[in-house]
Amino acid sequence: MSEKTPADFWFDPLCPWAWMTSRWMLEVEKVRPVEVRWHVMSLSVLNEPKIDELPDRYRELLRSGWGPVRVCIAAEQEHGPEVLGRLYTEIGTRFHNRGQERNRATIEEALVAAGLPASLADAAESEAYDERLRASHKEGIDLVGQDVGTPVIAVPGSDGEQIAFFGPVVTPAPRGEAAARLWDGTLLVASTPGFYEIKRTRDAEPQFD
């Protein structure tokens, strides 16, 4: 077997579209020699400079978004980066598929399901991990620029430089060969010099399964 290609994936568990993309990436791992490496970014950090200009509902959502990313960073720091993938799965399943409240009880439940101590939920109300959170966010966003969101994906290019991009934004998450085709096509366009954007208006909400 050929060596697997690392795909670095920056996520904020708050975002339903990043959640859809992450489920697609798990499918890509089954059909292509790819290994996802999970990292934390934050929509709260990204929008911090313009928080007062945003609509009230989105502003409140972002203010509540600090807790989950702090907990993810705390888990990574105390138990290693290998726990991030399964913790993200447990948090995302509860936030998005099940529609549970984005509160401490849900986060504690997700931590326990991921095999981690529920006490890590204390990090949600602490600034102790914010320096590392901001650094992790910066690592991802610096690859693609400030005018995007989550997720950010980066893979090694043939010239040694990283190929990085925001998205893809897709619903439902493609499975099987459809997942493979989307991966191949995304890499093709993202690796093209001077290519920046393909976009069309979203006319569907995220479809969770």
Side-chain angles (χ1 to χ4, degrees), residues 106-120:
T106 299
I107 290 175
E108 285 184 346
E109 183 183 307
L111 285 163
V112 172
L116 295 165
S119 59
L120 283 171

Side-chain angles (χ1 to χ4, degrees), residues 8-13 15-25 36 38-43 46 88 140-141 144-145 148-154 164-170 202:
D8 291 293
F9 189 107
W10 279 265
F11 68 90
D12 183 330
C15 179
W17 293 103
W19 175 246
M20 299 299 329
T21 308
S22 74
R23 300 309 92 183
W24 163 66
M25 284 303 304
V36 181
W38 304 96
H39 308 274
V40 183
M41 66 182 295
S42 169
L43 292 174
L46 180 67
Y88 181 29
I141 208 69
V144 291
V148 298
T150 180
V152 170
I153 301 175
F165 49 89
F166 158 70
V169 176
V170 62
R202 293 194 299 263

